[in-house]
Amino acid sequence: MDSRLTIAGRELAGLRAEKTILLAIGIQLFIAMFSSFLVVGLVSMYDPGALDGAQVEVAAAGDAVDDLERAASEVPGASVTAYPDADAARGAFERNAADAVVVTTRRESGRVSAVVTAPDATVETTVIVVQLRELLRTYELNERDARAPFLEDSPLPLPERSDTSPYFTFTYTVLIPLLVFLPVFISGSLVVDSITEEIDQGTMELLRVAPVTLAEIVDGKAAAAIGIAPGQALIWLLLLEANGTSVANVGPILALMTALTTLVVAVAVGISAVAPDRRAAQLLYSVAVLVLFGGATAMAGGPANAVARLAIDSADAATGVLVVAYAVIAGAAYLGVRRVVAAEGLGR
């Protein structure tokens, strides 16, 4: 056990030279520390509709101004001002009296076309475009309802809109799983780099001269990689709590990610054993992790879904069974790879 701890300590001490790994950890730390601030900007990319409700003044002209004004009354933050013609509306836009312009034309067929003018490449463009989209969508739905009695076939009813906050959805289905699983990938990459570097520089043979077995060397390297993952995740979750994002079931979440880290480390050790070249091993590791997590995510009870359900305290018995199952699979995978490596060696 002392030899394993010595090797693990050596691995942890060498992390200071891994600038790429330290940069990745620093990025995670920044996201976790400023999560409440960053989530607003991130949600705007994840779901621009979250910006609905911003105040936008629209200059409108054409044949359907009255209908647009009625639609604007149903869209929070949208305001439509009628102008006598398109030139007057565009003039208001150029004077900054309006945020956007909508000019509508009703054709003989009964269809209504709309020409929209919005600012080009400004900070407010995304907000304005989102509000314009919501305004025109509301106008379209009103037109459909008005014309429905004249259709030969009744249109299909639209599904009810969800009132779920996009900030809540993004935080618990994207941000928290991201912060929990990134340390998993980093740990596996650390093991690949550590083992392949030892083989490439010939220091693996020097280690084997010492009174330590190959299995103990692997155990020490794996222990260091597995040990830092839950520590990182715990810090990220505590920082989220400090930022006002409540996370339930921290213990089960850490147990799940530790099991997944063990599984990924086992994969990393196996790849390093069969592909001692560092670049080839990292490529194979990346592909293996993508396949592993891609397949797990496709399942109904994937790791990301399990973390999200645990974090919002909506986990059921199946989620608990899933955590135990991952732990058993991870333990069996690591013991199997360890036995093979001890028997066959590394870099052969």
Side-chain angles (χ1 to χ4, degrees), residues 140-256:
E140 180 186 10
L141 292 176
N142 291 342
E143 282 290 304
R144 288 176 180 271
D145 291 339
R147 300 184 186 193
F150 304 99
L151 299 177
E152 294 181 359
D153 297 323
S154 298
L156 294 174
L158 295 176
E160 294 292 334
R161 290 193 180 186
S162 174
D163 294 329
T164 303
S165 168
Y167 300 100
F168 179 88
T169 303
F170 176 83
T171 299
Y172 288 97
T173 63
V174 177
L175 182 61
I176 290 177
L178 177 69
L179 291 174
V180 167
F181 292 132
L182 275 179
V184 175
F185 306 141
I186 290 175
S187 292
S189 182
L190 279 174
V191 170
V192 171
D193 277 352
S194 177
I195 294 178
T196 54
E197 188 175 1
E198 297 274 17
I199 295 173
D200 183 58
Q201 296 180 356
T203 53
M204 181 64 73
E205 294 302 322
L206 292 177
L207 279 175
R208 298 188 66 180
V209 171
V212 59
T213 65
L214 184 57
E216 291 172 337
I217 295 173
V218 172
D219 286 344
K221 292 180 177 294
I226 295 171
I228 63 173
Q232 292 177 67
L234 178 60
I235 293 173
W236 309 155
L237 295 179
L238 291 176
L239 287 173
L240 288 176
E241 288 275 2
N243 276 274
T245 301
S246 179
V247 181
N249 299 305
V250 173
I253 290 175
L254 294 180
L256 174 60

Side-chain angles (χ1 to χ4, degrees), residues 33-316:
M33 288 180 65
F34 300 98
S35 57
S36 60
F37 172 76
L38 293 174
V39 75
V40 177
L42 293 171
V43 168
S44 68
M45 295 184 291
Y46 166 76
D47 181 13
L51 300 175
D52 290 347
Q55 297 295 323
V56 173
E57 173 66 28
V58 179
D63 303 326
V65 172
D66 294 339
D67 296 330
L68 280 175
E69 289 179 328
R70 283 193 293 272
S73 65
E74 303 175 25
V75 179
S79 176
V80 173
T81 301
Y83 287 83
D85 53 44
D87 290 337
R90 294 191 181 97
F93 176 70
E94 292 171 358
R95 297 192 308 270
N96 293 324
D99 299 305
V101 178
V102 178
V103 179
T104 58
T105 303
R106 195 178 297 274
R107 304 186 185 279
E108 294 181 359
S109 61
R111 294 186 177 183
V112 177
S113 64
V115 178
V116 179
T117 304
D120 180 26
T122 69
V123 177
E124 298 176 339
T125 298
T126 302
V127 178
I128 294 171
V129 169
V130 168
Q131 282 292 72
L132 285 172
R133 183 190 64 182
E134 187 64 22
L135 174 63
L136 294 175
R137 179 185 295 168
T138 303
Y139 169 66
E140 180 186 10
L141 292 176
N142 291 342
E143 282 290 304
R144 288 176 180 271
D145 291 339
R147 300 184 186 193
F150 304 99
L151 299 177
E152 294 181 359
D153 297 323
S154 298
L156 294 174
L158 295 176
E160 294 292 334
R161 290 193 180 186
S162 174
D163 294 329
T164 303
S165 168
Y167 300 100
F168 179 88
T169 303
F170 176 83
T171 299
Y172 288 97
T173 63
V174 177
L175 182 61
I176 290 177
L178 177 69
L179 291 174
V180 167
F181 292 132
L182 275 179
V184 175
F185 306 141
I186 290 175
S187 292
S189 182
L190 279 174
V191 170
V192 171
D193 277 352
S194 177
I195 294 178
T196 54
E197 188 175 1
E198 297 274 17
I199 295 173
D200 183 58
Q201 296 180 356
T203 53
M204 181 64 73
E205 294 302 322
L206 292 177
L207 279 175
R208 298 188 66 180
V209 171
V212 59
T213 65
L214 184 57
E216 291 172 337
I217 295 173
V218 172
D219 286 344
K221 292 180 177 294
I226 295 171
I228 63 173
Q232 292 177 67
L234 178 60
I235 293 173
W236 309 155
L237 295 179
L238 291 176
L239 287 173
L240 288 176
E241 288 275 2
N243 276 274
T245 301
S246 179
V247 181
N249 299 305
V250 173
I253 290 175
L254 294 180
L256 174 60
M257 72 91 58
T258 303
L260 292 174
T261 305
T262 304
L263 180 59
V264 168
V265 166
V267 171
V269 172
I271 290 174
S272 301
V274 299
D277 180 74
R278 184 173 183 174
R279 292 182 179 178
Q282 283 289 3
L283 177 60
L284 289 174
Y285 168 74
S286 300
V287 173
V289 167
L290 285 175
V291 172
L292 183 66
F293 273 82
T297 304
M299 302 186 325
N305 181 58
V307 168
R309 297 191 65 177
L310 287 168
I312 62 176
D313 201 19
S314 68
D316 53 15

Side-chain angles (χ1 to χ4, degrees), residues 20-42:
T20 302
I21 301 301
L22 293 178
L23 177 62
I25 294 175
I27 292 173
Q28 296 172 73
L29 176 62
F30 179 80
I31 293 173
M33 288 180 65
F34 300 98
S35 57
S36 60
F37 172 76
L38 293 174
V39 75
V40 177
L42 293 171

